[in-house]
Amino acid sequence: MSVRVRRVYEPPEAGDGVRVLVDRLWPRGLSKDAARVDEWPKGLTPSTGLRRWYHAGEGSFAEFTERYEAELAAPEETELLDHVRELAAAGDVTLLTASKSPGESHAAVLQRLLGGS
């Protein structure tokens, strides 16, 4: 089992396993055929307010992580996170994001929470 993060704009690879889009909006300029997304749990994404706050540069990644983890503690989000955790327990999972800095995005937080590499 492995959980990794990749940009959704990168071509799919054989080792991706289940491809999970973790962005709220569909990536611009990318067809659904090219993306080859298997799951799209929109409820796992940060709230609009948190996303805007972070992208405006008002806080650090550490503070964003803390706030995002608090959002993920809500029942609906916990259920979605558990579902992706089950997918990861069954095989490889690739979390897909359009973020230009995946290592400092919500996808990296999810990867850590899912026990990814």
Side-chain angles (χ1 to χ4, degrees):
M1 171 209 80
S2 74
V3 178
R4 66 181 182 161
V5 174
R6 295 184 65 217
R7 291 200 71 223
V8 70
Y9 296 107
E10 296 172 6
E13 294 179 357
D16 283 349
V18 179
R19 293 172 54 87
V20 181
L21 180 63
V22 293
D23 290 347
R24 187 170 303 270
L25 303 175
W26 188 261
R28 289 183 179 162
L30 187 65
S31 72
K32 292 188 180 194
D33 287 340
R36 290 201 5 227
V37 169
D38 298 309
E39 303 253 347
W40 189 14
K42 296 177 192 174
L44 273 183
T45 62
S47 66
T48 300
L50 179 57
R51 185 176 43 80
R52 287 182 179 161
W53 171 84
Y54 182 56
H55 290 295
E58 296 179 22
S60 67
F61 181 64
E63 189 175 356
F64 167 79
T65 298
E66 186 176 308
R67 291 181 182 197
Y68 181 41
E69 287 178 356
E71 289 184 357
L72 290 172
E76 183 179 324
E77 286 79 358
T78 299
E79 188 175 317
L80 290 170
L81 192 59
D82 287 345
H83 172 69
V84 178
R85 193 173 280 120
E86 289 170 8
L87 294 174
D92 295 332
V93 171
T94 299
L95 304 177
L96 303 168
T97 182
S99 173
K100 292 179 182 175
S101 300
E104 289 192 354
S105 73
H106 65 288
V109 175
L110 290 172
Q111 180 186 30
R112 184 181 51 76
L113 291 174
L114 294 167
S117 52

